[in-house]
Amino acid sequence: MSISTVAKKLPTTAIAATVIVLGIGAVAQATVLTFDDIAPISYFNEIPNGYGGFNWNNFNYINGSSPKVRRTGEDNGRVSGDYVAFNGFGNPALVSDSVFDFNSAYLSATWNNGLSVTVEGLKNGATLYSKTVIVDTTQPTLVNFDYFGVDELKFTSFGGVEPNYLGGTGTQFALDNFTFNEKATSIPEPTLLPALFAVGTLSIGSVLRRKQLNQS
């Protein structure tokens, strides 16, 4: 009997156990923070701690449809709805929680074209990931980060040149559609693996014995 034939006859519980042992698990559904479900505002305000389950340090959200930010990256950087996040005064900004996976986000420059944005992924204060991207004021840029198992993100922006038609300057960036998984991908505890293997082995053995009896 082939392995594929045995697998078709395995009980559901045995298949599930085998899948876990092999590390083939369902991928947690990603959550997208659009900043459009915080309290409505006419201009800007701080992102409250707890939004999306995170602590937000030096992150504000702004109504990108406001005439005060017309044609800036906070206007052009909107991906969904009217609101985007930005780093206050162009200073470094932090997002923190228990362990999570940071998948992607849309970034744009508020004032300076050619703005550099460095995004670090940390765990327990140690930098595990770092990526620097160049963004402009005219449109949002989708950046895939794929930072797994981090508990903090640090955003730092610098450089770029302000185009004359905006009439303002600064190293603020706009952030929209922050996408993450609430929990990092987990692996079964080593102490559980023997038990899971045992379940799968016993189930396969049971199917084979029944096949042999039927054929005798």
Side-chain angles (χ1 to χ4, degrees):
M1 180 181 295
S2 67
I3 294 177
S4 60
T5 303
V6 172
K8 292 179 181 178
K9 297 179 179 291
L10 281 174
T12 302
T13 54
I15 294 175
T18 305
V19 168
I20 294 173
V21 169
L22 293 176
I24 307 172
V27 178
Q29 185 174 2
T31 299
V32 181
L33 300 182
T34 64
F35 310 102
D36 296 304
D37 50 353
I38 315 177
I41 51 175
S42 60
Y43 192 23
F44 77 92
N45 205 347
E46 293 181 351
I47 298 177
N49 283 334
Y51 176 64
F54 292 99
N55 291 320
W56 302 84
N57 188 323
N58 196 39
F59 262 115
N60 303 308
Y61 71 112
I62 190 166
N63 190 332
S65 65
S66 170
K68 296 179 181 180
V69 295
R70 182 174 176 269
R71 300 176 71 186
T72 70
E74 291 165 350
D75 176 11
N76 297 328
R78 291 179 287 161
V79 178
S80 56
D82 287 334
Y83 296 92
V84 296
F86 73 94
N87 55 327
F89 302 101
N91 294 326
L94 305 175
V95 183
S96 60
D97 187 20
S98 56
V99 178
F100 63 96
D101 296 338
F102 178 41
N103 302 333
S104 63
Y106 283 87
L107 297 174
S108 56
T110 297
W111 299 107
N112 290 358
N113 284 331
L115 181 75
S116 296
V117 182
T118 297
V119 183
E120 299 172 76
L122 301 91
K123 185 176 182 182
N124 297 327
T127 300
L128 303 182
Y129 303 91
S130 183
K131 178 180 289 189
T132 299
V133 296
I134 308 297
V135 294
D136 289 327
T137 63
T138 54
Q139 63 184 3
T141 299
L142 174 62
V143 185
N144 293 307
F145 290 98
D146 297 326
Y147 290 1
F148 300 106
V150 299
D151 59 18
E152 184 176 73
L153 300 173
K154 181 179 181 180
F155 294 77
T156 306
S157 53
F158 54 95
V161 178
E162 185 269 321
N164 293 331
Y165 60 81
L166 287 181
T169 186
T171 55
Q172 292 92 332
F173 65 87
L175 167 71
D176 206 1
N177 284 30
F178 178 103
T179 304
F180 71 100
N181 288 341
E182 294 183 5
K183 297 295 181 182
T185 303
S186 60
I187 300 174
E189 291 292 334
T191 54
L192 294 178
L193 293 179
L196 293 174
F197 275 119
V199 171
T201 302
L202 288 173
S203 299
I204 294 173
S206 176
V207 171
L208 291 174
R209 284 194 295 275
R210 286 199 300 270
K211 181 67 175 179
Q212 291 171 351
L213 289 174
N214 290 337
Q215 291 177 345
S216 61

